[in-house]
Amino acid sequence: MVVRFTPISPAGLLKNAEATYEDDLEFGHEPARYGVSVIAGWCEEGESFDDAVERIVNTSSLNGKTIAATTGNKLREIGLEVVEDANEREPLHHLVGEDPFSEPPRVDLLASLLDNCRRKNPAWTKGVAA
């Protein structure tokens, strides 16, 4: 289960992947990686896809009216990988990119997939994420 908050345009995804690389350089992560930020988790036993999306977005400090929700399997089908990149602020933070994350991912493919998975953020209430 992979959730991306907007932007999901190719330009927005590329900007995010490049910012990840710059952050990795700044904070000494070796090697620096090009990856698009997402939050990710798994469906728990008996949990529907929609229920899992809601649970995952409710763990995040991120907000926004629109998200895209897909699966790791669908990302792998188009040649992308999902790797854990948890941090104190976002314990479910992951990166999407092309192994070994040394070049920007094919954001056109990623944007196309995410655009087809666009939905309202279930945590969005009266203009504020819960």
Side-chain angles (χ1 to χ4, degrees):
M1 180 77 46
V2 178
V3 176
R4 168 74 187 170
F5 286 82
T6 56
I8 60 171
S9 67
L13 296 173
L14 179 59
K15 183 177 179 180
N16 183 259
E18 290 171 339
T20 299
Y21 184 84
E22 293 298 323
D23 287 348
D24 274 4
L25 288 176
E26 181 179 339
F27 296 112
H29 187 281
E30 291 291 332
R33 304 158 297 170
Y34 285 97
V36 174
S37 293
V38 297
I39 55 174
W42 293 265
C43 282
E44 295 180 357
E45 188 175 332
E47 188 176 47
S48 72
F49 184 89
D50 291 339
D51 290 341
V53 168
E54 185 169 1
R55 177 178 47 80
I56 289 168
V57 296
N58 280 324
T59 69
S60 179
S61 65
L62 301 170
N63 62 46
K65 190 173 184 177
T66 303
I67 61 170
T70 190
T71 65
N73 287 338
K74 288 182 181 176
L75 290 165
R76 284 186 285 283
E77 285 174 12
I78 64 169
L80 299 173
E81 295 295 327
V82 181
V83 296
E84 189 173 349
D85 188 50
N87 59 59
E88 202 170 289
R89 183 174 171 227
E90 291 296 331
L92 297 180
H93 186 262
H94 287 66
L95 295 174
V96 172
E98 293 179 69
D99 196 31
F101 291 78
S102 59
E103 299 290 330
R106 291 171 290 165
V107 293
D108 53 335
L109 292 175
L110 180 56
S112 178
L113 174 68
L114 294 176
D115 193 48
N116 289 328
C117 301
R118 194 183 280 259
R119 59 174 54 204
K120 181 181 180 221
N121 179 355
W124 183 265
T125 307
K126 296 182 183 177
V128 179

